[in-house]
Coordinates of all heavy atoms in Angstrom, one line a residue:
M20 N 89.1 108.5 108.4 CA 88.4 108.9 107.2 C 87.0 109.1 107.5 O 86.4 108.3 108.2 CB 88.6 107.9 106.1 CG 88.2 108.3 104.8 SD 88.5 107.1 103.5 CE 90.3 107.3 103.4
A21 N 86.4 110.2 107.1 CA 85.0 110.6 107.4 C 84.1 109.6 106.6 O 84.4 109.1 105.6 CB 84.8 112.0 107.0
K22 N 82.9 109.5 107.2 CA 81.9 108.6 106.6 C 81.5 109.1 105.2 O 81.4 108.3 104.3 CB 80.6 108.7 107.5 CG 79.6 107.7 107.3 CD 78.5 107.8 108.3 CE 78.0 106.5 108.9 NZ 76.9 106.7 109.8
K23 N 81.5 110.4 105.0 CA 81.1 110.9 103.7 C 82.2 110.5 102.7 O 81.9 110.2 101.5 CB 81.0 112.5 103.8 CG 80.4 113.1 102.6 CD 80.1 114.6 102.9 CE 79.3 115.2 101.8 NZ 79.0 116.6 102.1
E24 N 83.5 110.6 103.1 CA 84.6 110.2 102.2 C 84.5 108.7 101.8 O 84.7 108.4 100.6 CB 85.9 110.4 102.8 CG 86.5 111.8 102.7 CD 87.9 111.9 103.3 OE1 88.8 111.6 102.5 OE2 88.0 112.3 104.4
I25 N 84.1 107.9 102.7 CA 84.0 106.4 102.4 C 82.9 106.2 101.5 O 83.0 105.5 100.5 CB 83.8 105.7 103.8 CG1 85.0 105.7 104.6 CG2 83.4 104.2 103.4 CD1 84.8 105.1 106.0
E26 N 81.7 106.9 101.7 CA 80.6 106.7 100.7 C 81.0 107.2 99.4 O 80.6 106.6 98.3 CB 79.4 107.5 101.3 CG 78.8 106.9 102.5 CD 78.4 105.4 102.3 OE1 77.8 105.0 101.3 OE2 78.7 104.6 103.2
L27 N 81.8 108.3 99.3 CA 82.2 108.8 98.0 C 83.2 107.8 97.3 O 83.0 107.5 96.1 CB 83.0 110.1 98.2 CG 83.6 110.7 97.0 CD1 82.6 111.1 95.9 CD2 84.4 111.9 97.4
M28 N 84.1 107.2 98.1 CA 85.1 106.3 97.5 C 84.4 105.1 96.9 O 84.8 104.5 95.9 CB 86.1 105.8 98.6 CG 87.1 106.9 99.0 SD 88.2 106.3 100.2 CE 89.1 105.0 99.3
K29 N 83.3 104.7 97.5 CA 82.5 103.5 97.0 C 82.0 103.8 95.6 O 81.7 102.8 94.8 CB 81.3 103.2 97.9 CG 81.7 102.6 99.2 CD 80.5 102.3 100.1 CE 80.9 101.8 101.5 NZ 79.7 101.5 102.3
T30 N 81.7 105.0 95.2 CA 81.1 105.4 93.9 C 82.2 105.5 92.8 O 81.8 105.6 91.7 CB 80.3 106.7 94.0 OG1 81.2 107.8 94.2 CG2 79.3 106.7 95.1
L31 N 83.5 105.6 93.2 CA 84.5 105.9 92.2 C 84.9 104.6 91.5 O 85.1 103.6 92.1 CB 85.7 106.5 92.9 CG 85.5 107.9 93.5 CD1 86.7 108.3 94.3 CD2 85.0 108.9 92.6
N32 N 85.0 104.8 90.2 CA 85.4 103.6 89.3 C 86.2 104.2 88.1 O 85.7 104.5 87.1 CB 84.2 102.8 88.9 CG 84.6 101.6 88.1 OD1 85.7 101.1 88.2 ND2 83.7 101.1 87.3
H33 N 87.5 104.2 88.3 CA 88.4 104.7 87.3 C 89.8 104.0 87.4 O 90.2 103.7 88.5 CB 88.6 106.2 87.5 CG 89.4 106.9 86.4 ND1 90.8 107.0 86.4 CD2 89.0 107.5 85.2 CE1 91.1 107.6 85.3 NE2 90.1 107.9 84.6
K34 N 90.4 103.8 86.3 CA 91.6 103.0 86.2 C 92.8 103.6 87.0 O 93.7 102.9 87.5 CB 92.1 102.7 84.8 CG 92.5 104.0 84.1 CD 92.9 103.7 82.6 CE 93.4 105.0 82.0 NZ 93.9 104.8 80.7
N35 N 92.7 104.9 87.2 CA 93.8 105.6 87.9 C 93.4 106.0 89.3 O 94.1 106.9 89.9 CB 94.3 106.8 87.1 CG 94.9 106.4 85.8 OD1 95.6 105.4 85.8 ND2 94.7 107.2 84.8
I36 N 92.3 105.5 89.9 CA 91.9 105.8 91.2 C 91.8 104.4 92.0 O 91.2 103.5 91.5 CB 90.6 106.5 91.3 CG1 90.7 107.8 90.5 CG2 90.1 106.7 92.7 CD1 89.4 108.6 90.4
V37 N 92.5 104.3 93.1 CA 92.6 103.1 93.9 C 91.1 102.7 94.3 O 90.4 103.6 94.8 CB 93.5 103.3 95.1 CG1 93.5 102.0 96.0 CG2 94.9 103.6 94.7
R38 N 90.8 101.5 94.0 CA 89.4 101.0 94.3 C 89.2 100.7 95.8 O 90.0 100.1 96.5 CB 89.1 99.8 93.5 CG 88.8 100.1 92.1 CD 88.3 98.9 91.3 NE 89.1 97.7 91.4 CZ 90.1 97.4 90.7 NH1 90.5 98.3 89.8 NH2 90.8 96.3 90.8
F39 N 88.1 101.1 96.3 CA 87.6 100.8 97.6 C 87.1 99.4 97.6 O 86.3 99.0 96.7 CB 86.5 101.8 98.0 CG 85.8 101.4 99.3 CD1 86.3 102.0 100.5 CD2 84.7 100.6 99.4 CE1 85.7 101.7 101.7 CE2 84.1 100.3 100.6 CZ 84.6 100.8 101.8
I40 N 87.6 98.6 98.6 CA 87.1 97.2 98.6 C 86.1 97.0 99.7 O 85.0 96.4 99.5 CB 88.3 96.2 98.9 CG1 89.4 96.4 97.8 CG2 87.9 94.8 98.9 CD1 89.0 96.0 96.4
D41 N 86.5 97.4 101.0 CA 85.6 97.1 102.1 C 86.0 98.0 103.3 O 87.0 98.6 103.2 CB 85.6 95.6 102.5 CG 84.4 95.2 103.3 OD1 83.5 96.0 103.5 OD2 84.4 94.0 103.6
Q42 N 85.2 97.9 104.3 CA 85.5 98.6 105.6 C 85.0 97.7 106.7 O 84.0 97.0 106.5 CB 84.8 100.0 105.6 CG 83.3 99.9 105.7 CD 82.7 101.2 105.7 OE1 83.1 102.1 105.1 NE2 81.5 101.3 106.4
F43 N 85.6 97.9 107.8 CA 85.1 97.2 109.0 C 85.6 97.9 110.3 O 86.6 98.6 110.2 CB 85.4 95.7 109.0 CG 86.9 95.4 109.1 CD1 87.5 95.1 110.4 CD2 87.7 95.3 108.0 CE1 88.8 94.8 110.5 CE2 89.0 95.0 108.1 CZ 89.6 94.8 109.3
R44 N 85.0 97.6 111.4 CA 85.4 98.2 112.7 C 85.8 97.1 113.6 O 85.1 96.0 113.7 CB 84.3 99.0 113.2 CG 84.7 99.8 114.5 CD 83.5 100.7 114.9 NE 84.0 101.5 116.0 CZ 83.3 102.5 116.5 NH1 82.1 102.8 116.0 NH2 83.8 103.1 117.5
H45 N 86.9 97.2 114.3 CA 87.4 96.2 115.2 C 88.0 97.0 116.4 O 88.8 97.8 116.3 CB 88.5 95.4 114.6 CG 89.0 94.3 115.5 ND1 88.3 93.2 115.9 CD2 90.2 94.2 116.1 CE1 89.0 92.5 116.8 NE2 90.2 93.1 116.8
N46 N 87.4 96.6 117.6 CA 87.9 97.3 118.9 C 87.9 98.8 118.8 O 88.8 99.4 119.2 CB 89.3 96.8 119.3 CG 89.3 95.3 119.7 OD1 88.3 94.8 120.1 ND2 90.4 94.6 119.5
G47 N 86.9 99.3 118.2 CA 86.7 100.8 118.1 C 87.5 101.5 117.0 O 87.4 102.7 116.9
T48 N 88.3 100.7 116.2 CA 89.0 101.3 115.2 C 88.5 100.9 113.8 O 88.2 99.7 113.6 CB 90.5 100.8 115.2 OG1 91.1 101.2 116.5 CG2 91.4 101.5 114.1
W49 N 88.3 101.9 112.9 CA 87.8 101.6 111.6 C 89.0 101.3 110.7 O 90.0 101.9 110.7 CB 87.1 102.9 111.0 CG 85.7 103.0 111.5 CD1 85.3 103.8 112.5 CD2 84.6 102.3 111.0 NE1 83.9 103.6 112.7 CE2 83.5 102.7 111.8 CE3 84.4 101.3 110.1 CZ2 82.2 102.2 111.6 CZ3 83.1 100.8 109.9 CH2 82.0 101.2 110.7
Y50 N 88.8 100.2 109.8 CA 89.8 99.8 108.9 C 89.2 99.9 107.5 O 88.0 99.6 107.2 CB 90.2 98.4 109.1 CG 90.9 98.2 110.4 CD1 90.2 98.0 111.6 CD2 92.3 98.3 110.5 CE1 90.9 97.8 112.8 CE2 93.0 98.1 111.7 CZ 92.3 97.9 112.8 OH 92.9 97.8 114.0
I51 N 89.9 100.5 106.6 CA 89.5 100.6 105.2 C 90.4 99.7 104.3 O 91.6 99.7 104.4 CB 89.7 102.1 104.7 CG1 89.1 103.1 105.6 CG2 89.2 102.3 103.3 CD1 87.7 103.1 105.7
I52 N 89.8 98.9 103.5 CA 90.5 98.0 102.6 C 90.4 98.5 101.2 O 89.3 98.7 100.7 CB 89.9 96.5 102.7 CG1 90.0 96.1 104.1 CG2 90.7 95.6 101.8 CD1 89.2 94.8 104.4
L53 N 91.6 98.8 100.6 CA 91.7 99.3 99.3 C 92.4 98.3 98.4 O 93.0 97.4 98.8 CB 92.5 100.6 99.3 CG 92.0 101.8 100.2 CD1 93.0 102.9 100.2 CD2 90.6 102.2 99.7
E54 N 92.3 98.6 97.1 CA 93.0 97.8 96.1 C 94.5 97.8 96.4 O 95.1 98.8 96.8 CB 92.8 98.5 94.7 CG 93.6 98.0 93.6 CD 93.4 98.8 92.3 OE1 92.8 99.9 92.4 OE2 93.8 98.4 91.3
Y55 N 95.1 96.6 96.2 CA 96.5 96.5 96.5 C 97.4 97.2 95.4 O 97.1 97.0 94.2 CB 96.9 95.0 96.5 CG 98.4 94.8 96.7 CD1 99.0 95.0 97.9 CD2 99.2 94.3 95.6 CE1 100.4 94.8 98.1 CE2 100.5 94.1 95.8 CZ 101.1 94.3 97.0 OH 102.5 94.1 97.2
C56 N 98.3 98.0 95.8 CA 99.2 98.7 94.9 C 100.6 98.2 95.2 O 101.2 98.7 96.1 CB 99.0 100.2 95.0 SG 97.4 100.8 94.5
G57 N 101.1 97.3 94.4 CA 102.3 96.6 94.6 C 103.6 97.4 94.7 O 104.6 97.0 95.4
K58 N 103.6 98.6 94.1 CA 104.9 99.4 94.2 C 104.8 100.4 95.3 O 105.8 101.2 95.4 CB 105.1 100.0 92.8 CG 105.5 99.0 91.8 CD 105.9 99.6 90.5 CE 106.3 98.5 89.5 NZ 106.5 99.1 88.1
G59 N 103.8 100.5 96.0 CA 103.7 101.4 97.2 C 103.4 102.8 96.7 O 102.8 103.0 95.7
D60 N 103.8 103.8 97.5 CA 103.6 105.2 97.2 C 104.7 105.8 96.4 O 105.8 105.2 96.3 CB 103.3 106.0 98.4 CG 104.4 106.2 99.4 OD1 105.4 106.8 98.9 OD2 104.4 105.7 100.5
L61 N 104.4 106.9 95.7 CA 105.4 107.5 94.8 C 106.6 108.0 95.5 O 107.7 107.9 95.0 CB 104.7 108.6 94.1 CG 105.5 109.3 92.9 CD1 106.1 108.2 92.0 CD2 104.7 110.3 92.2
E62 N 106.5 108.4 96.8 CA 107.7 108.9 97.5 C 108.7 107.8 97.8 O 109.9 107.9 97.5 CB 107.3 109.5 98.8 CG 108.4 110.1 99.6 CD 108.0 110.9 100.9 OE1 107.3 110.3 101.7 OE2 108.3 112.1 100.9
K63 N 108.2 106.6 98.3 CA 109.1 105.5 98.5 C 109.6 104.9 97.2 O 110.8 104.5 97.2 CB 108.3 104.4 99.3 CG 108.1 104.9 100.8 CD 107.3 103.8 101.5 CE 107.0 104.4 102.9 NZ 105.9 103.7 103.6
Y64 N 108.8 104.9 96.2 CA 109.2 104.4 94.9 C 110.4 105.3 94.4 O 111.4 104.7 93.9 CB 108.1 104.4 93.9 CG 108.4 103.9 92.5 CD1 108.6 102.6 92.3 CD2 108.6 104.8 91.5 CE1 109.0 102.1 91.0 CE2 108.9 104.4 90.2 CZ 109.1 103.0 90.0 OH 109.4 102.6 88.7
K65 N 110.3 106.6 94.5 CA 111.3 107.5 94.0 C 112.6 107.3 94.9 O 113.7 107.3 94.3 CB 110.9 108.9 94.1 CG 111.8 109.9 93.6 CD 111.3 111.4 93.8 CE 112.3 112.4 93.4 NZ 113.5 112.4 94.2
Q66 N 112.5 107.1 96.2 CA 113.6 106.9 97.0 C 114.3 105.5 96.6 O 115.6 105.5 96.6 CB 113.2 106.8 98.5 CG 112.8 108.1 99.1 CD 112.2 108.0 100.5 OE1 112.0 106.9 101.0 NE2 112.0 109.1 101.1
K67 N 113.5 104.6 96.2 CA 114.1 103.2 95.9 C 114.8 103.3 94.5 O 115.9 102.7 94.4 CB 113.0 102.2 95.9 CG 113.4 100.8 95.6 CD 112.3 99.8 95.6 CE 112.7 98.4 95.2 NZ 111.6 97.5 95.2
V68 N 114.2 103.9 93.5 CA 114.7 103.8 92.2 C 115.6 105.0 91.8 O 116.3 105.0 90.8 CB 113.6 103.7 91.1 CG1 112.8 102.4 91.3 CG2 112.8 104.9 91.0
G69 N 115.6 106.1 92.7 CA 116.3 107.3 92.4 C 115.6 108.1 91.3 O 114.4 108.2 91.3
K70 N 116.4 108.6 90.4 CA 115.9 109.5 89.4 C 114.9 108.7 88.4 O 115.3 107.6 87.9 CB 117.0 110.1 88.5 CG 116.5 111.1 87.5 CD 117.6 111.8 86.8 CE 117.1 112.8 85.8 NZ 118.2 113.4 85.1
I71 N 113.7 109.1 88.3 CA 112.7 108.4 87.5 C 112.9 108.9 86.0 O 112.9 110.2 85.8 CB 111.3 108.7 88.0 CG1 111.2 108.1 89.4 CG2 110.3 108.0 87.1 CD1 109.8 108.5 90.1
P72 N 113.1 108.0 85.0 CA 113.2 108.5 83.7 C 112.1 109.3 83.2 O 110.9 109.2 83.6 CB 113.3 107.2 82.9 CG 113.6 106.1 83.9 CD 113.1 106.6 85.2
E73 N 112.4 110.3 82.3 CA 111.4 111.2 81.8 C 110.1 110.5 81.2 O 109.0 111.0 81.5 CB 112.0 112.1 80.7 CG 111.1 113.2 80.1 CD 111.7 114.0 79.1 OE1 112.9 114.0 78.9 OE2 110.9 114.8 78.4
Y74 N 110.3 109.5 80.4 CA 109.1 108.8 79.9 C 108.2 108.3 81.0 O 107.0 108.4 80.9 CB 109.6 107.7 78.9 CG 108.4 106.9 78.4 CD1 107.5 107.4 77.5 CD2 108.0 105.7 79.0 CE1 106.4 106.7 77.0 CE2 106.9 105.0 78.6 CZ 106.1 105.5 77.6 OH 105.0 104.8 77.2
H75 N 108.8 107.7 82.0 CA 108.1 107.1 83.1 C 107.3 108.3 83.9 O 106.2 108.1 84.3 CB 109.0 106.3 84.0 CG 108.2 105.4 85.0 ND1 108.8 104.8 86.0 CD2 106.9 105.1 85.1 CE1 107.9 104.1 86.7 NE2 106.8 104.3 86.2
C76 N 108.0 109.4 84.0 CA 107.4 110.6 84.7 C 106.2 111.0 83.9 O 105.1 111.3 84.5 CB 108.4 111.7 84.8 SG 109.6 111.5 86.1
K77 N 106.3 111.0 82.6 CA 105.2 111.4 81.7 C 104.0 110.5 81.9 O 102.8 111.0 82.0 CB 105.6 111.5 80.2 CG 106.5 112.6 79.9 CD 106.9 112.5 78.4 CE 107.8 113.6 78.0 NZ 108.2 113.6 76.6
V78 N 104.2 109.2 82.0 CA 103.2 108.3 82.2 C 102.5 108.5 83.6 O 101.3 108.5 83.7 CB 103.7 106.8 82.1 CG1 102.7 105.8 82.5 CG2 104.2 106.5 80.7
L79 N 103.3 108.7 84.6 CA 102.8 108.9 86.0 C 102.0 110.2 86.0 O 100.9 110.2 86.6 CB 104.0 109.0 87.0 CG 104.7 107.7 87.3 CD1 105.9 108.0 88.1 CD2 103.8 106.7 88.1
V80 N 102.5 111.3 85.5 CA 101.8 112.6 85.5 C 100.5 112.5 84.7 O 99.4 113.0 85.2 CB 102.7 113.7 85.0 CG1 101.9 115.0 84.8 CG2 103.8 114.0 86.0
R81 N 100.5 111.8 83.6 CA 99.3 111.6 82.8 C 98.2 110.9 83.6 O 97.0 111.3 83.7 CB 99.5 110.9 81.5 CG 98.3 110.7 80.6 CD 98.5 110.0 79.3 NE 99.5 110.7 78.5 CZ 100.6 110.2 78.0 NH1 101.0 109.0 78.3 NH2 101.4 111.0 77.3
G82 N 98.6 109.8 84.3 CA 97.7 109.1 85.1 C 97.1 109.9 86.3 O 95.9 109.8 86.6
I83 N 98.0 110.7 86.9 CA 97.5 111.6 88.0 C 96.5 112.6 87.5 O 95.5 112.8 88.1 CB 98.7 112.3 88.7 CG1 99.6 111.2 89.4 CG2 98.3 113.3 89.6 CD1 101.0 111.8 89.7
L84 N 96.8 113.2 86.3 CA 95.9 114.2 85.8 C 94.6 113.6 85.4 O 93.5 114.2 85.6 CB 96.6 114.9 84.6 CG 97.7 115.8 85.0 CD1 98.4 116.4 83.7 CD2 97.3 116.9 85.9
E85 N 94.6 112.4 84.8 CA 93.4 111.7 84.4 C 92.5 111.4 85.6 O 91.3 111.6 85.6 CB 93.7 110.4 83.7 CG 94.2 110.6 82.3 CD 94.6 109.3 81.6 OE1 94.6 108.2 82.2 OE2 95.0 109.4 80.4
A86 N 93.1 111.0 86.7 CA 92.4 110.8 88.0 C 91.8 112.0 88.5 O 90.6 112.1 88.9 CB 93.3 110.1 89.0
L87 N 92.6 113.1 88.5 CA 92.1 114.4 89.0 C 90.9 114.9 88.1 O 89.9 115.5 88.7 CB 93.2 115.4 89.1 CG 94.2 115.2 90.1 CD1 95.4 116.2 90.0 CD2 93.6 115.2 91.5
V88 N 91.0 114.7 86.8 CA 89.9 115.2 86.0 C 88.6 114.3 86.3 O 87.5 114.9 86.4 CB 90.3 115.0 84.5 CG1 89.0 115.1 83.6 CG2 91.3 116.0 84.1
E89 N 88.8 113.0 86.5 CA 87.7 112.2 86.9 C 87.0 112.7 88.2 O 85.8 112.7 88.3 CB 88.1 110.7 87.0 CG 87.1 109.8 87.5 CD 85.9 109.5 86.6 OE1 86.0 109.9 85.4 OE2 84.9 109.0 87.1
L90 N 87.9 113.0 89.2 CA 87.3 113.5 90.4 C 86.6 114.8 90.3 O 85.6 115.1 91.0 CB 88.5 113.6 91.5 CG 89.1 112.3 92.0 CD1 90.3 112.7 92.9 CD2 88.1 111.5 92.7
H91 N 87.1 115.7 89.4 CA 86.6 117.0 89.3 C 85.3 117.1 88.4 O 84.6 118.1 88.5 CB 87.6 118.0 88.8 CG 87.3 119.4 89.0 ND1 87.2 120.0 90.2 CD2 86.9 120.3 88.0 CE1 86.8 121.3 90.0 NE2 86.7 121.5 88.7
T92 N 85.1 116.1 87.6 CA 84.0 116.1 86.7 C 82.7 115.9 87.5 O 82.6 115.1 88.4 CB 84.2 114.9 85.7 OG1 85.4 115.1 85.0 CG2 83.0 114.9 84.7
E93 N 81.7 116.6 87.1 CA 80.4 116.5 87.8 C 79.8 115.0 87.6 O 79.9 114.5 86.5 CB 79.4 117.5 87.2 CG 79.7 118.9 87.5 CD 78.7 119.9 87.0 OE1 77.7 119.5 86.4 OE2 78.9 121.1 87.2
R94 N 79.3 114.5 88.7 CA 78.9 113.1 88.7 C 77.5 113.1 89.3 O 77.2 113.6 90.4 CB 79.8 112.2 89.5 CG 81.2 112.3 89.0 CD 82.2 111.7 90.0 NE 81.8 110.3 90.3 CZ 82.2 109.2 89.7 NH1 83.0 109.3 88.7 NH2 81.8 108.0 90.1
K95 N 76.6 112.4 88.6 CA 75.2 112.3 89.1 C 75.1 111.6 90.5 O 74.4 112.0 91.4 CB 74.3 111.5 88.1 CG 74.1 112.2 86.8 CD 73.2 111.3 85.9 CE 73.1 112.0 84.6 NZ 72.5 111.1 83.6
E96 N 75.9 110.5 90.7 CA 75.7 109.7 91.9 C 76.2 110.4 93.1 O 76.0 110.0 94.2 CB 76.4 108.4 91.8 CG 77.9 108.4 91.5 CD 78.3 108.4 90.0 OE1 77.4 108.8 89.2 OE2 79.4 108.1 89.7
I97 N 76.9 111.6 93.0 CA 77.3 112.3 94.2 C 76.7 113.7 94.1 O 77.3 114.7 94.5 CB 78.8 112.4 94.3 CG1 79.5 112.9 93.1 CG2 79.3 111.0 94.8 CD1 81.0 113.1 93.3
N98 N 75.5 113.8 93.6 CA 74.7 115.1 93.6 C 75.4 116.2 92.8 O 75.3 117.3 93.2 CB 74.4 115.5 95.0 CG 73.6 114.5 95.8 OD1 72.7 113.8 95.2 ND2 73.9 114.3 97.0
K99 N 76.1 115.8 91.8 CA 76.8 116.8 90.9 C 77.7 117.7 91.7 O 77.9 118.8 91.3 CB 75.7 117.6 90.1 CG 74.9 116.8 89.2 CD 74.1 117.7 88.3 CE 73.3 116.8 87.3 NZ 72.5 117.6 86.4
K100 N 78.3 117.2 92.8 CA 79.3 118.0 93.5 C 80.7 117.7 92.9 O 81.0 116.5 92.7 CB 79.3 117.7 95.0 CG 78.0 118.2 95.6 CD 78.1 117.8 97.1 CE 76.8 118.3 97.8 NZ 76.7 117.9 99.2
K101 N 81.4 118.7 92.7 CA 82.8 118.5 92.2 C 83.7 118.2 93.4 O 83.6 118.7 94.5 CB 83.3 119.8 91.5 CG 82.5 120.1 90.2 CD 83.0 121.3 89.5 CE 82.3 121.5 88.2 NZ 82.8 122.6 87.5
I102 N 84.6 117.3 93.1 CA 85.5 116.8 94.2 C 86.9 117.4 94.0 O 87.4 117.4 92.9 CB 85.6 115.3 94.2 CG1 84.3 114.6 94.2 CG2 86.6 114.8 95.3 CD1 84.3 113.2 93.8
A103 N 87.5 117.9 95.0 CA 88.9 118.4 95.0 C 89.7 117.6 95.9 O 89.4 117.4 97.1 CB 88.9 119.9 95.4
H104 N 90.9 117.0 95.4 CA 91.8 116.3 96.3 C 92.6 117.4 96.9 O 93.4 118.1 96.3 CB 92.7 115.4 95.4 CG 93.4 114.4 96.2 ND1 94.3 114.8 97.2 CD2 93.5 113.1 96.2 CE1 94.8 113.7 97.8 NE2 94.4 112.7 97.2
R105 N 92.5 117.5 98.2 CA 93.1 118.6 99.0 C 94.4 118.2 99.7 O 95.0 118.9 100.5 CB 92.2 119.2 99.9 CG 91.0 119.9 99.2 CD 89.9 120.4 100.1 NE 90.3 120.6 101.5 CZ 89.5 121.2 102.4 NH1 88.4 121.6 102.0 NH2 89.9 121.3 103.6
D106 N 94.9 117.0 99.4 CA 96.1 116.5 100.0 C 97.0 115.7 99.0 O 97.4 114.6 99.3 CB 95.8 115.7 101.3 CG 97.0 115.5 102.2 OD1 97.9 116.3 102.1 OD2 96.9 114.5 103.0
L107 N 97.2 116.4 97.9 CA 98.0 115.7 96.8 C 99.5 115.9 97.1 O 100.0 117.0 97.1 CB 97.6 116.3 95.5 CG 98.1 115.6 94.2 CD1 97.5 114.1 94.2 CD2 97.6 116.3 93.0
K108 N 100.1 114.8 97.4 CA 101.6 114.7 97.7 C 102.1 113.3 97.3 O 101.3 112.4 97.2 CB 101.9 115.1 99.1 CG 101.2 114.3 100.1 CD 101.3 114.8 101.5 CE 100.6 114.0 102.5 NZ 100.6 114.6 103.9
L109 N 103.4 113.2 97.2 CA 104.0 111.9 96.8 C 103.5 110.7 97.6 O 103.2 109.7 97.1 CB 105.5 112.0 96.8 CG 106.1 113.0 95.8 CD1 107.6 113.0 95.8 CD2 105.6 112.8 94.4
P110 N 103.5 110.8 99.0 CA 103.0 109.7 99.7 C 101.6 109.3 99.5 O 101.2 108.2 99.9 CB 103.3 110.1 101.2 CG 104.2 111.2 101.2 CD 103.9 111.9 99.8
N111 N 100.8 110.2 99.0 CA 99.4 109.9 98.7 C 99.1 109.4 97.3 O 97.9 109.2 96.9 CB 98.5 111.1 99.0 CG 98.4 111.4 100.5 OD1 98.8 110.6 101.3 ND2 98.0 112.6 100.8
I112 N 100.1 109.2 96.5 CA 100.0 108.7 95.2 C 100.5 107.3 95.2 O 101.7 107.0 95.4 CB 100.7 109.6 94.2 CG1 100.2 111.0 94.2 CG2 100.7 108.9 92.8 CD1 101.0 112.0 93.4
L113 N 99.6 106.3 95.0 CA 100.0 104.9 95.0 C 100.2 104.4 93.6 O 99.6 104.8 92.7 CB 98.9 104.1 95.7 CG 98.6 104.5 97.1 CD1 97.4 103.6 97.7 CD2 99.8 104.3 98.0
I114 N 101.2 103.5 93.5 CA 101.6 103.0 92.2 C 101.3 101.5 92.1 O 101.7 100.7 93.0 CB 103.1 103.2 91.9 CG1 103.4 104.6 92.1 CG2 103.5 102.6 90.6 CD1 104.9 104.9 92.0
N115 N 100.5 101.1 91.1 CA 100.1 99.7 90.9 C 101.2 99.1 90.0 O 102.0 99.7 89.3 CB 98.8 99.7 90.2 CG 97.9 98.5 90.7 OD1 98.4 97.6 91.4 ND2 96.7 98.6 90.4
D116 N 101.3 97.8 90.0 CA 102.3 97.0 89.2 C 102.1 97.3 87.7 O 101.2 97.7 87.2 CB 102.2 95.5 89.5 CG 102.6 95.2 90.8 OD1 103.5 95.9 91.3 OD2 102.1 94.2 91.4

């Protein structure tokens, strides 16, 4: 993860965006510590539960859209640059309990 991305993650504070906790380097490798998401990613969750009920899908999609709106909205702390998530896929969507 690029230094710029880490600095950006530190500024984000939204209920549907995984919170950045800390970072450290050990033996030349950078580690990023994020908020714990107990149900894992959406791809593994779907494989585990099978067909996700329509109501639950609506809740998931609403949360994803709210997070994307938050990222795309102009923000003072990041010089009013709009953010685009360019790798949106099931394994990159984490589900909290």
